Amino acid sequence: MERDRTNVEQDRTAVERDGTTVERDRTIYDVAVIGAGPAGTQAAISAAHQMRHVLILDAGEVSQRKGRAYWSKTVEIQDAPVFAGVTGPQFIKALREWIAAHPVREITIAGERRLTGIEYRGGMVLELHRKGELFELVTSVQRLREGQPLTIERFLARTVVVASGFEDKWPDIEVDESAQRLYEKYRVVFRYAGNARGWHVCIRCDGHLHVDQHLAILGVGDYVYGAALGAQDFTDKITILTNGRPHGMSPPVLRQIQERGIEIIETKIKRHIGRGTDLLGLELEDGRELFFDGFLVDEGLEPNTQFLKGWDVQTDEEGLLVVNEDGQVLDTQGNPVPGLFAAGDIVSGTRNLIATAFALGQNAGLSASDSLRKWRWPEE
Ligand SMILES: Cc1cc2nc3c(=O)[nH]c(=O)nc-3n(C[C@H](O)[C@H](O)[C@H](O)COP(=O)(O)OP(=O)(O)OC[C@H]3O[C@@H](n4cnc5c(N)ncnc54)[C@H](O)[C@@H]3O)c2cc1C
């Protein structure tokens, strides 16, 4: 590996191509960001603003995992400053334009040549490894095609910001079990997701659409009561649907539910009753048809951290990453993992909202950048 005094470095690596071993140069980025939602975009911009050379890898370009903000298909996001009432796809387009406004360029500081700016690549990070002092990101860089092998690229970076968010779990109604891909499996559910009259996953985001209206909340356990507590800011007309499962609530929670007149229906749901992309009601297996103004699902989440398999990182009961005040990921002993940061929805104990993701992204991007500085405070 050739190293000089600037951040314009290359790693000379032997790679297998058609059975022949060839030497190839790979750029070593200062910061690699995994995910280009609000958290990752802000992390990339903040690090580039400190003159770092940043790579941002985003699965949305090569797969249907386009991030949570993208899900607001027709509902406008109204609480993110600067963006006045934008749908998810419009919001993501604005983030991409923001990235494009920070292209990679060469600068010289005190005689040292450096690269700064952001390189944006479509790619699903599959594995993250340590390679000496560096990180290697094993990334699938092309859209998957039936029967075709993956196209893999390996990127190198000194620091990594994990901003890959999570996937919401969707209701188990009219699911096509024979389908291979998630998006085919939940095709009917997704028709109604992210629309004003459809499935919501964020009461704080979409509750304002259902002021004083009848809201159905789907889920089980004490967990679902959290959604009902959030819903009280908008309406007291709430029904909890468990979709065929026992409600599983503890006696104190159940007492509160009963005191507030919230009905719990444990019958399995057979199908959606919709018009176009509007969800109007649900037909139960006993033949009843129930109609609501809004539908909120609270079935939990799946963190997008498959690439951290084998890493000693601390997670909460939902699998979200535990970080310190600098956004640095902690290991199971509570020590910061060198060079590894996280931001946005993937971080444990944070509000899952866009403005929060921006703030956490900025914190992690700046911390990653700061960790690369040569001068430091003298040790005490
Ligand atoms: C339907 C809906 C409506 C919402 N409405 C609002 C609202 O009105 N106001 C509000 O403040 N918040 C809203 N939210 C919440 C908000 O969208 C999230 O809090 C926010 O998007 C989190 O940002 P993030 O960058 O952490 O994650 P995400 O936005 O989820 O972005 C994660 C990114 O990582 C990428 N990724 C995932 N895995 C990988 C991988 N392995 N390799 C590379 N890239 C990967 C994804 O493609 C995606 O681009 C809503 C959420 C939903 C689902």
Side-chain angles (χ1 to χ4, degrees), residues 33-41 57-73 75-80 86 91-92 95-96 120-127 139 162-168 170 193-195 199-202 204-206 208 303-307 343-347 351-358 360:
V33 180
I34 306 175
T41 302
L57 294 165
D58 191 52
E61 283 282 308
V62 296
S63 75
Q64 291 295 336
R65 282 181 190 237
K66 295 188 186 297
R68 295 190 75 229
Y70 198 84
W71 272 106
S72 281
K73 288 188 292 205
V75 180
E76 285 188 343
I77 296 160
Q78 296 186 348
D79 55 345
V86 280
F91 176 66
I92 298 299
L95 294 187
R96 296 294 171 273
Y120 172 82
R121 289 289 307 269
M124 165 95 76
V125 178
L126 303 177
E127 294 166 30
T139 308
V162 178
S164 43
F166 58 74
E167 303 298 312
D168 294 283
W170 296 96
N195 298 316
W199 288 113
H200 304 297
V201 292
C202 171
R204 283 189 194 278
C205 308
D206 296 342
H208 69 99
N304 287 326
T305 47
Q306 293 80 353
F307 50 83
D345 279 3
I346 196 61
V347 173
R351 293 191 190 281
N352 300 142
L353 292 164
I354 287 165
T356 314
F358 278 143
L360 294 171

Side-chain angles (χ1 to χ4, degrees), residues 64 113 125 154 212 233 269 312 319 322-323 372:
Q64 291 295 336
R113 274 168 61 238
V125 178
R154 293 162 189 268
D212 209 30
D233 295 335
I269 300 165
D312 175 28
V322 178
V323 303
L372 298 168

Side-chain angles (χ1 to χ4, degrees), residues 174-208:
E174 291 186 85
V175 168
D176 180 357
E177 292 296 349
S178 67
Q180 297 277 311
R181 304 233 173 115
L182 185 83
Y183 285 78
E184 289 158 5
K185 202 168 161 185
Y186 286 91
R187 197 169 38 83
V188 181
V189 174
F190 290 171
R191 183 188 308 155
Y192 304 111
N195 298 316
R197 286 210 68 175
W199 288 113
H200 304 297
V201 292
C202 171
I203 188 65
R204 283 189 194 278
C205 308
D206 296 342
H208 69 99

Side-chain angles (χ1 to χ4, degrees), residues 253-304:
V253 165
L254 200 55
R255 239 185 338 270
Q256 285 208 0
I257 294 239
Q258 283 156 353
E259 277 164 21
R260 281 160 182 76
I262 297 174
E263 190 185 6
I264 301 176
I265 299 177
E266 292 180 320
T267 316
K268 182 125 183 77
I269 300 165
K270 189 172 162 196
R271 66 175 190 96
H272 298 84
I273 304 170
R275 191 194 309 120
T277 55
D278 283 348
L279 180 58
L280 309 178
L282 298 163
E283 184 186 328
L284 306 186
E285 291 228 309
D286 62 11
R288 268 184 296 167
E289 292 187 346
L290 305 177
F291 293 87
F292 303 95
D293 302 297
F295 302 80
L296 179 79
V297 51
D298 204 348
E299 293 276 36
L301 57 90
E302 249 174 63
N304 287 326

